[in-house]
Amino acid sequence: DVSVFLTASEFVVGPNRFPFAVVTNAGVTIDQAEIGVRFSLIDGDSRHFRPERSAGFREVVTMSPHVHEDGFVHNHVNARSYYVVDAVEFDTAGFWSADLTVTPPDASPFLASAAFTVKPQPSARGVGLRAPPTTHATLADVSDVAVLSTAEAPVLEMYEVTVADALAQGAPLVVQFSTPLFCTSSMCGPVYEEVASLHKRYGDRVRFIHLEPFNLSIARSEGRLVPTPPSREWGLENEPWVFVIDSSGIVRARFQGVVAASEIEAAIDRVLH
């Protein structure tokens, strides 16, 4: 009666972040469980097991205003939870399995599993590679930030410079591709808010840039989602994505799908020290 949903789709040979959610058939996430994950490479009828790893619980909490008919406004708390196994090393491309032992709070353990594919090379810009010197419109090029962003409360500083200019300045950089309004994964809004919270904390030391992955003019007028040139340049096939880049322009961490600020913060701290 339980399913494992992977919240990322691109896994490659080398170190990976492995995020997932555990959901009942009624659509309820199982939170705060202790989870051990044993990965195995499937080779025909054989399985080559790797040592078991522990998964950590993460939660992304956002607030959204709700207006009553009488004008009273209160905030709804929106929480998205997931688990993640950090720095999983997949040494071979092919078909893999993740076998979970899940021990929920105050409940008996149970088993669950998920199958996935490991690619030999990444499509999205990979860790250890140089970030593309992407050029794109900024606030100086438009009359309204809404031309650049579908966020409800855009952080204007995230639209002031291009990726190319930020790389030339030689400062650490966080680049996020997300579209709160047109997101197909329903994860973009929460991820935008998580990155915005980090901008408040690190904005004096790290450049933050937000890019919409789809052409907003076409999305708004025709309802079609057409990837932008920056999305294609970074090799993105879905959204959202967050990349942490060091002062020499090398991608040091990347996060696909829902991600808590704590995960991104740890990657930022590594490039700052």
Side-chain angles (χ1 to χ4, degrees):
D1 297 330
V2 172
S3 298
V4 179
F5 289 97
L6 304 185
T7 61
S9 59
E10 182 170 284
F11 305 102
V12 298
V13 171
N16 291 259
R17 165 184 180 263
F18 190 83
F20 60 92
V22 182
V23 185
T24 69
N25 287 349
V28 178
T29 58
I30 296 176
D31 298 340
Q32 302 291 350
E34 293 184 5
I35 300 182
V37 184
R38 194 176 188 193
F39 296 97
S40 61
L41 173 65
I42 300 174
D43 181 13
D45 295 331
S46 301
R47 296 180 65 180
H48 305 281
F49 288 93
R50 305 297 189 261
E52 184 175 276
R53 298 284 304 277
S54 295
F57 178 73
R58 303 285 187 274
E59 192 169 38
V60 175
V61 179
T62 58
M63 308 287 285
S64 61
H66 176 74
V67 182
H68 290 252
E69 292 182 359
D70 61 2
F72 177 76
V73 179
H74 73 277
N75 286 324
H76 279 180
V77 178
N78 306 306
R80 295 176 181 274
S81 60
Y82 67 99
Y83 298 88
V84 63
V85 183
D86 294 315
V88 181
E89 187 80 24
F90 299 129
D91 53 15
T92 306
F95 199 51
W96 286 68
S97 176
D99 298 311
L100 281 60
T101 302
V102 183
T103 307
D106 304 319
S108 300
F110 62 86
L111 304 179
S113 64
F116 59 98
T117 300
V118 172
K119 300 164 57 176
Q121 297 291 335
S123 297
R125 189 53 56 117
V127 173
L129 300 180
R130 186 166 297 279
T134 304
T135 58
H136 48 85
T138 66
L139 282 178
D141 304 310
V142 300
S143 58
D144 189 339
V145 68
V147 177
L148 305 176
S149 176
T150 63
E152 288 188 4
V155 179
L156 297 183
E157 290 84 355
M158 291 200 281
Y159 308 93
E160 290 182 340
V161 300
T162 64
V163 173
D165 288 342
L167 291 172
Q169 293 168 3
L173 175 63
V174 174
V175 179
Q176 69 156 315
F177 289 82
S178 64
T179 178
L181 183 59
F182 298 108
C183 197
T184 60
S185 68
S186 75
M187 301 178 190
C188 294
V191 169
Y192 186 93
E193 295 301 323
E194 294 294 282
V195 175
S197 72
L198 292 170
H199 173 268
K200 294 179 182 178
R201 200 174 315 163
Y202 292 94
D204 59 336
R205 291 170 288 167
V206 178
R207 275 285 190 184
F208 287 77
I209 295 176
H210 169 242
L211 294 171
E212 292 274 339
F214 305 120
N215 183 305
L216 292 186
S217 177
I218 295 175
R220 285 168 170 153
S221 62
E222 303 178 24
R224 294 188 297 117
L225 300 181
V226 178
T228 61
S231 288
R232 292 194 291 268
E233 187 176 14
W234 285 71
L236 307 186
E237 299 176 349
N238 40 46
E239 70 336 271
W241 280 89
V242 179
F243 298 87
V244 178
I245 300 153
D246 67 15
S247 57
S248 62
I250 303 299
V251 176
R252 294 304 179 189
R254 64 177 199 163
F255 305 92
Q256 181 191 4
V258 65
V259 56
S262 59
E263 281 196 79
I264 306 171
E265 181 178 21
I268 293 174
D269 287 340
R270 287 195 294 271
V271 302
L272 288 176
H273 298 96

